Amino acid sequence: PGPEFHDVDVELGPAGPAAAGAPPGPDPAPWAALLPGVRGAATGLSLVAERVMQRAEELAAPLRRKPR
């Protein structure tokens, strides 16, 4: 039950200005609205986004040290 995959439209673009101390990342509000019965949906998205950013940094670090 619920919307079909093609019925869902969630914007995952850049977030607005980050609150003081908050890490940058996608706006979790659309996910919280999409999953109103799922407590912690926004928190879960924030954790996933944080880990993805960390992993991207780990992968990019060696590339920054290579001469051009």
Side-chain angles (χ1 to χ4, degrees):
E4 296 287 325
F5 182 75
H6 63 274
D7 293 331
V8 177
D9 182 25
V10 176
E11 178 62 43
L12 295 178
D27 181 7
W31 288 98
L34 178 64
L35 303 168
V38 180
R39 293 183 310 185
T43 302
L45 175 64
S46 296
L47 292 173
V48 170
E50 179 181 345
R51 182 61 187 123
V52 168
M53 287 186 284
Q54 289 172 352
R55 183 67 179 135
E57 181 60 36
E58 291 168 6
L59 293 171
L63 299 175
R64 289 193 188 105
R65 291 189 290 266
K66 285 188 176 184
R68 292 184 180 198

